Amino acid sequence: MDRSIKLNQLETLKKECKRFFTDIYHDTEKILVFGEGDVDSPLVLVGEAPGEQETIEQRPFVGKAGKNLDEFLEILKLDREDIYITNVVKFRPFKVNEKTGRLSNRPPTKEEVDLSRAWLMRELKIIGPKVVVSLGNTALKTLSGRRDIKIGHVHGKPFEIEIGDKEYRAMLFPLYHPASIIYRRELASVYREDLEALKVYVDKIICLGHKL
Ligand code: URA
C-alpha cells in the first residue's frame, strides 16, 4: 500500500479510536499515545501500554522505557526511525495512591486489553509488517489471541499469527519486555540471546529483499 494512503488511514484510525475511548470512558479523559516510526517498516515492535512520560510526550517508549529500547536497538543495529513502534493499549493504565494522591502505573486490565485489541490489529493491517516483535506477556497474548500462552515458554521462538483476519499473516517474534530485565536480572543473558536470534532473523528478512 502506498505510504500516503497508509498515513491517511492511520489518521482516520486515530480519530475513530479517540472517539471510541472517549465514549467508553466519558468521565475520565484518556490521553491516547499512538504508534510512531516508519509506516513501511517490515518490523514492528509492540509494547504493553504507555507510562507517565509517554503520556506527557504522547510518544511510545520515551523516558526510561526509551533508554531500554535504545539498548535493544543498538544490539539489533537499527535506528528507531527505521522501524514502527506501538503499544497494545493506547492510554496509560494507572492507579492513585490514596494517601499521597500520586499516580503510578499498573498492568492493563483484561477489559482494557480486550477493548484495545481490534485497534491494534487495524493499525498493524495498515502498516503490513512481516515480523511483529511482542515485548512482554500482554503483547504476546494479545497478538497470538492465546490467553494461556506464556513468554517464559516461547521467548525467542517465532511463530505465525493472523492479523485481524485470515487474509493477512505475519511472524510473531516474542521477547521479554525490556523493563522486566530490570526487575529480574537473571533474565538478562536470555534476553540478550533472544535479541541476537532476532538480529539473525531480521537480517534474513533484509536478505529476502525487504528494506529495513
Ligand atoms: N512505554 C511504552 O510505551 N510501552 C511499554 O510497554 C512500556 C513503556
Side-chain angles (χ1 to χ4, degrees):
M1 200 194 304
D2 192 72
R3 191 184 181 83
S4 60
I5 298 177
K6 285 188 182 183
L7 292 171
N8 258 327
Q9 290 193 352
L10 285 170
E11 275 316 304
T12 306
L13 185 79
K14 285 179 196 174
K15 284 188 196 132
E16 287 179 18
C17 183
K18 176 83 190 162
R19 218 173 300 136
F20 177 82
F21 283 110
T22 305
D23 277 355
I24 289 183
Y25 299 113
H26 41 82
D27 46 349
T28 42
E29 200 212 339
K30 299 279 185 209
I31 298 169
L32 300 189
V33 178
F34 290 99
E36 68 169 27
D38 182 359
V39 295
D40 287 330
S41 174
L43 181 69
V44 168
L45 297 193
V46 181
E48 183 174 274
E52 183 181 20
Q53 197 55 35
E54 284 81 4
T55 308
I56 292 168
E57 295 186 38
Q58 294 192 25
R59 296 180 60 205
F61 284 94
V62 290
K64 213 163 148 203
K67 264 197 84 206
N68 292 336
L69 188 73
D70 287 345
E71 287 163 19
F72 170 109
L73 292 171
E74 210 172 291
I75 295 171
L76 291 178
K77 308 252 180 302
L78 288 174
D79 288 330
R80 187 181 168 114
E81 302 74 48
D82 296 334
I83 58 169
Y84 186 87
I85 303 168
T86 192
N87 282 304
V88 174
V89 175
K90 307 298 195 236
F91 52 84
R92 180 188 183 197
F94 65 83
K95 52 184 185 236
V96 185
N97 183 305
E98 304 253 308
K99 282 192 196 131
T100 62
R102 289 184 62 163
L103 308 185
S104 60
N105 296 340
R106 59 163 171 78
T109 61
K110 183 180 169 302
E111 183 194 85
E112 287 166 340
V113 171
D114 287 347
L115 290 171
S116 300
R117 187 170 191 269
W119 298 104
L120 172 67
M121 290 306 187
R122 278 180 64 184
E123 185 181 18
L124 292 175
K125 251 182 130 172
I126 296 170
I127 306 291
K130 300 270 178 254
V131 180
V132 182
V133 176
S134 56
L135 302 174
N137 260 319
T138 300
L140 170 65
K141 286 175 196 274
T142 307
L143 287 159
S144 65
R146 288 169 49 188
R147 293 202 190 286
D148 58 330
I149 201 165
K150 292 209 170 63
I151 187 70
H153 297 151
V154 296
H155 64 92
K157 297 184 198 128
F159 62 94
E160 203 175 52
I161 53 163
E162 282 170 12
I163 308 280
D165 56 46
K166 288 194 169 49
E167 279 162 48
Y168 172 36
R169 292 170 159 269
M171 293 306 285
L172 179 68
F173 197 106
L175 287 181
Y176 282 103
H177 195 288
S180 65
I181 313 306
I182 300 169
Y183 309 109
R184 294 180 60 193
R185 288 313 302 172
E186 77 277 12
L187 290 181
S189 61
V190 178
Y191 185 65
R192 178 91 200 194
E193 280 166 27
D194 288 348
L195 276 180
E196 302 287 349
L198 175 61
K199 168 131 186 51
V200 172
Y201 198 70
V202 167
D203 285 347
K204 218 157 65 184
I205 300 173
I206 298 173
C207 286
L208 290 174
H210 307 291
K211 183 198 134 283
L212 198 69

